[in-house]
Amino acid sequence: MMATSNSSLKFIINMFAVLFIFSLSGCQATSQKMRAASAQSAHTAKYIKQNENLKKCQSQLQALKVVNPSEYNRMQSSFDSLMSSAAQYTGLRKSVDENTQDTVDSLYHYRANQLCARIAQTLMDSLTSKGEARP
């Protein structure tokens, strides 16, 4: 897979985060405006947290590059593929029904969390194996 530049990767991460904003927005009845404002605030906080998690994941991936380059290449390829797919879905999202949006949004959220957990575990395993190595 082609390497992604840092600015392109940041753009893709932001697009992925926008996906979650779209998944959290919806039409509210006039009588529910106060609850909607409160819910939107909670959704914004959730978006910020998800964006921070993706940035942390990317940072851990960069650390893995130093510690275990072969695992980095494998994980970077998976990360790039996921971000590319998420960006493509974001472009198509408005053309599918709400039920499909909810399902696919959840799928991408799950896949991102799963990949980031694998990256974190691989980094920890690589660091501990280096720490346990004896000359």
Side-chain angles (χ1 to χ4, degrees):
M1 177 162 279
M2 184 172 65
T4 305
S5 72
N6 234 4
S7 61
S8 296
L9 195 52
K10 287 179 184 177
F11 174 76
I12 291 171
I13 287 174
N14 286 333
M15 289 298 294
F16 190 68
V18 166
L19 162 75
F20 290 111
I21 286 179
F22 286 142
S23 72
L24 301 173
S25 63
C27 297
Q28 299 291 328
T30 304
S31 64
Q32 298 175 340
K33 283 187 180 181
M34 290 302 289
R35 282 187 287 169
S38 177
Q40 187 64 34
S41 177
H43 294 316
T44 300
K46 186 175 180 180
Y47 157 75
I48 291 169
K49 178 71 172 163
Q50 290 168 342
N51 196 24
E52 288 171 357
N53 287 345
L54 282 174
K55 287 180 181 181
K56 180 179 179 182
C57 183
Q58 184 181 12
S59 174
Q60 289 177 326
L61 189 57
Q62 290 305 310
L64 187 60
K65 183 178 186 178
V66 174
V67 177
N68 190 337
S70 64
E71 284 297 313
Y72 163 80
N73 289 332
R74 190 172 66 79
M75 295 290 185
Q76 181 67 52
S77 177
S78 295
F79 189 83
D80 288 345
S81 177
L82 178 60
M83 293 298 113
S84 178
S85 295
Q88 181 182 25
Y89 167 64
T90 299
L92 300 171
R93 189 175 185 281
K94 290 184 177 181
S95 65
V96 299
D97 65 67
E98 188 177 335
N99 187 45
T100 301
Q101 288 176 2
D102 289 344
T103 302
V104 178
D105 291 352
S106 295
L107 171 68
Y108 278 109
H109 183 76
Y110 166 77
R111 287 184 61 202
N113 284 341
Q114 182 185 44
L115 178 59
C116 289
R118 286 187 11 234
I119 290 169
Q121 185 63 50
T122 302
L123 177 60
M124 186 184 333
D125 291 346
S126 297
L127 288 168
T128 57
S129 72
K130 286 194 179 282
E132 293 174 347
R134 297 202 171 110

